[in-house]
């Protein structure tokens, strides 16, 4: 399916933007080589979510005009996590939203294990480290485990306020359900509509400049830009 159309201490700064395509080991050390045009990557603190993003960095290929997100997620519970949804918000130098992307994919994350996840941002969200002043904010947006599942585990307003650095998230998520009663993360009947609503809310009075939503058998993704966001 295809459809087109202030930061505070609540966020944990993990890594910084690095130019080029490199190995994960190089990514972890690239913070020591931050250039004047580098971009900050932050992760929203999410108490009560059954696993955490422990490391995160973005790389950009200025020839292919492609920005990629690299994560390490750790399971701190006794539950086997089978699917995960990550939300990426791109903010400008003043902390105002430029756009965002939600990416959901299958994983196999057993208790006490760590797994690396890599995905590309939409071409419209490409960031040039030689000229862009921006901040990338990451949050776990949903999961499916053996026992529990959630999509947008906190209220939409609470999550977006935390992404913008205006408030911290509550100590417990608002929406966790039994996995037996949960629709798939890539539910074709609601995924795109939910993402469209988030785009409208995050972009606010500026309005949504572009919107795309795609499905495959293994994953789903939507991305959007805010009008006048560059």
């Amino acid at each position: 399916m295809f459809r087109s159309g202030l930061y505070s201490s609540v966020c944990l700064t993990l890594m910084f933007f690095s130019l080029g395509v490199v190995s994960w080991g190089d990514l972890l050390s690239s913070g020591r080589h931050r250039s004047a045009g580098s971009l900050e990557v932050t992760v929203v603190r999410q108490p009560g979510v059954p696993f955490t993003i422990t490391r995160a960095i973005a790389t950009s290929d200025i020839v292919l005009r492609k920005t990629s997100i690299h994560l390490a997620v750790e399971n701190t519970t006794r539950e086997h996590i089978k699917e995960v949804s990550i939300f990426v918000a791109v903010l400008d130098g003043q902390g105002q939203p430029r756009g965002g992307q939600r990416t959901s994919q299958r994983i196999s994350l057993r208790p006490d294990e760590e797994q690396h996840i890599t995905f590309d941002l939409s071409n419209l969200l490409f960031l040039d480290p030689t000229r862009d002043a921006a901040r990338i904010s990451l949050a776990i947006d949903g999961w499916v485990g053996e026992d529990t599942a959630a999509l947008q585990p906190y209220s939409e307003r609470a999550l977006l306020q935390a992404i913008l650095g205006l408030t911290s998230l509550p100590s417990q998520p608002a929406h966790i359900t039994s996995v037996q009663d949960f629709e798939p993360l890539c539910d074709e009947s609601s995924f795109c509509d939910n993402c469209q609503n988030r785009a409208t809310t995050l972009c606010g009075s500026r309005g949504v400049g572009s919107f795309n939503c795609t499905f495959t058998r293994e994953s789903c993704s939507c991305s959007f830009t805010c009008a006048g966001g560059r």
Side-chain angles (χ1 to χ4, degrees), residues 6-13 40 42-45 91 95 135 137 161-169:
L6 26 167
Y7 249 69
S8 69
S9 60
V10 302
C11 290
L12 172 65
T13 301
E40 186 177 348
T42 64
V43 173
V44 176
R45 296 182 184 272
L91 311 177
R135 179 181 290 122
S137 181
Q161 291 288 300
I163 285 171
L164 294 174
L166 301 176
T167 185
S168 58
L169 288 169

Side-chain angles (χ1 to χ4, degrees), residues 1-5 122 124 187-200 208-216 220-225:
M1 175 179 178
F2 176 83
R3 188 184 305 182
S4 61
S122 162
L124 293 174
D187 181 1
E188 189 170 348
S189 66
S190 61
F191 179 84
C192 292
D193 288 340
N194 288 340
C195 193
Q196 179 76 67
N197 292 337
R198 174 166 296 177
T200 300
V208 178
S210 66
F211 180 82
N212 294 278
C213 192
T214 60
F215 278 84
T216 70
C220 53
S221 181
C222 70
S223 62
F224 61 89
T225 61

Side-chain angles (χ1 to χ4, degrees), residues 11-28:
C11 290
L12 172 65
T13 301
L14 294 183
M15 291 287 176
F16 296 101
F17 203 92
S18 175
L19 178 63
V21 178
V22 292
S23 69
W24 180 260
D26 292 334
L27 296 177
L28 295 181

